[in-house]
Amino acid sequence: MAALGQINKYYEELSKSISSGQATRVKPLLRLDHPTAQQALFGLTTVSKAQLQGAAKRWLDQPWAGIAAQHLLALSQRSSGRPDQAFELYTAAEGPAKGALNALAESPQDLWVAAAMEQTASNTVVLASQADAQLVLTGDSSKSKAVGGFLQQCISALGPARRPEESARRRGNLTLLILLTRVYMRLNNVQGCSQVLKNFKQNYSGEVLQRVPAAYRVCAYYYLGRTELNSDNIAGGIDMLQAAFRECKADSENVKHVLRALVPLKMLHGELPTALLLQRHALQEYEPFREAIAAGDVGLFERSMQVNQYRLIANGTYLLLEK
């Protein structure tokens, strides 16, 4: 059947990546925008759900056959302008996110399984955000609230790594904590962020956090640093953000994101950035504040707040500078 051609191509590519056991091959194939998956969507209009699932079983073992078929069904709903339905498919008991989570719980040492779980969990956050964006005029954020609850369930079900060799479980659990923090920050749920911070401090203190790659540490320190700021713990926020900055590669885009939050905090403590630093990382919005503080010019500072108000609010740093 011609319609199954592109679908089978996707299943075959996913099957080969799983057989390789390489996280870097598996994870991209589960992205919402992967080209092969997008091409497979053209055949879904003339293929039944049973045919889609049957084709998956010919290429993949369970639970991956079910995960792959449901992933394509969710993508089809998303491309039809129904991210809300895609979210429901993705978070269902038989959906990709739950399926990959259960697979990781059974194989806590397999990094490629952790990569699959991380991507499917991330997809739920994206779909929830897109679904709520359609309802922005009504102020409805029900899917973002729902994904927060879903991620909480995933964290409880997976649990933290208890043994050094459970590297995959450790990465997966930390990824879920980071995603949950992002969701709570978008919902302005300060209490929820504080609970995640408490969980992090209980399970990832000291050498435990050093067992995950630097990229995970950067994200954890960054979002938890922002959480400290939301709780008015300026010193704790600075410590976390400085830790994130130390872990960043010099040429990484993450440096800019970290500095965008860290620079105003340091200025509050009387440590001014150089003009070169702001220019190098395209943070010129802070230049007038640097000049105002250096000159003790309150008028310039207040005018800069007015001129840059919307940009600073979008960056999440307006309230910091207002202090």
Side-chain angles (χ1 to χ4, degrees):
M1 185 176 181
L4 281 172
Q6 291 297 329
I7 295 171
N8 281 323
K9 182 179 178 182
Y10 173 73
Y11 289 154
E12 180 183 14
E13 196 169 332
L14 183 59
S15 175
K16 288 180 178 178
S17 70
I18 289 174
S19 297
S20 74
Q22 296 179 24
T24 53
R25 292 182 60 183
V26 175
K27 190 172 184 176
L29 281 163
L30 292 171
R31 287 177 56 91
L32 297 174
D33 58 355
H34 190 275
T36 309
Q38 291 296 315
Q39 291 172 3
L41 296 183
F42 292 110
L44 288 186
T45 55
T46 56
V47 172
S48 68
K49 182 177 179 180
Q51 289 174 313
L52 183 71
Q53 294 171 332
K57 291 176 183 178
R58 287 193 289 274
W59 288 103
L60 298 155
D61 295 327
Q62 293 292 10
W64 302 104
I67 289 171
Q70 194 85 337
H71 176 71
L72 291 181
L73 287 172
L75 290 188
S76 178
Q77 289 293 327
R78 177 174 177 259
S79 68
S80 300
R82 294 301 307 272
D84 55 331
Q85 291 298 316
F87 175 80
E88 296 298 334
L89 286 169
Y90 229 86
T91 56
E94 70 278 10
K98 281 283 184 69
L101 178 77
N102 293 335
L104 179 57
E106 294 176 4
S107 305
Q109 301 174 6
D110 289 342
L111 295 179
W112 72 267
V113 181
M117 190 285 297
E118 292 165 13
Q119 186 59 60
T120 54
S122 179
N123 290 346
T124 65
V125 175
V126 172
L127 292 171
S129 178
Q130 292 176 346
D132 285 347
Q134 291 186 339
L135 302 172
V136 67
L137 294 179
T138 66
D140 190 338
S141 57
S142 59
K143 289 297 183 288
S144 290
K145 292 176 181 177
V147 81
F150 176 77
L151 291 172
Q152 283 181 320
Q153 294 174 11
C154 291
I155 290 169
S156 298
L158 182 61
R162 299 300 182 188
R163 298 189 298 274
E165 63 270 18
E166 291 186 339
S167 56
R169 187 193 298 272
R170 186 174 300 106
R171 293 189 191 185
N173 180 268
L174 184 55
T175 296
L176 291 172
L177 289 175
I178 293 169
L179 288 173
L180 184 57
T181 304
R182 286 173 52 190
V183 171
Y184 282 156
M185 287 178 65
R186 188 164 66 236
L187 294 172
N188 198 28
N189 185 340
V190 177
Q191 183 178 1
C193 287
S194 297
Q195 288 298 317
V196 176
L197 181 62
K198 182 179 179 181
N199 187 319
F200 173 80
K201 289 181 175 179
Q202 287 176 342
N203 295 297
Y204 291 95
S205 58
E207 66 176 17
V208 176
L209 194 59
Q210 298 304 313
R211 294 174 184 165
V212 300
Y216 292 76
R217 297 197 296 272
V218 170
C219 287
Y221 284 136
Y222 173 76
Y223 284 109
L224 295 170
R226 296 290 299 272
T227 295
E228 293 280 27
L229 300 181
N230 289 341
S231 301
D232 290 327
N233 183 0
I234 303 300
I238 289 176
D239 287 344
M240 286 282 191
L241 291 169
Q242 284 183 323
F245 182 73
R246 287 194 297 270
E247 296 283 358
C248 285
K249 293 182 179 179
D251 59 347
S252 170
E253 181 67 19
N254 287 331
V255 173
K256 179 178 179 179
H257 294 301
V258 173
L259 286 176
R260 178 165 280 132
L262 184 58
V263 164
L265 290 177
K266 302 286 275 186
M267 287 197 293
L268 286 175
H269 282 239
E271 298 182 41
L272 301 182
T274 65
L276 179 61
L277 176 75
L278 298 180
Q279 183 179 6
R280 179 185 301 153
H281 297 289
L283 296 172
Q284 289 91 342
E285 65 262 33
Y286 293 135
E287 176 58 27
F289 297 101
R290 186 189 71 82
E291 294 177 358
I293 294 173
D297 190 335
V298 177
L300 175 59
F301 190 94
E302 292 181 347
R303 290 194 298 275
S304 300
M305 287 290 289
Q306 292 177 355
V307 170
N308 293 282
Q309 180 179 1
Y310 294 111
R311 180 188 291 186
L312 295 172
I313 290 173
N315 293 342
T317 55
Y318 180 81
L319 293 179
L320 292 176
L321 287 167
E322 193 178 38
K323 295 178 181 181

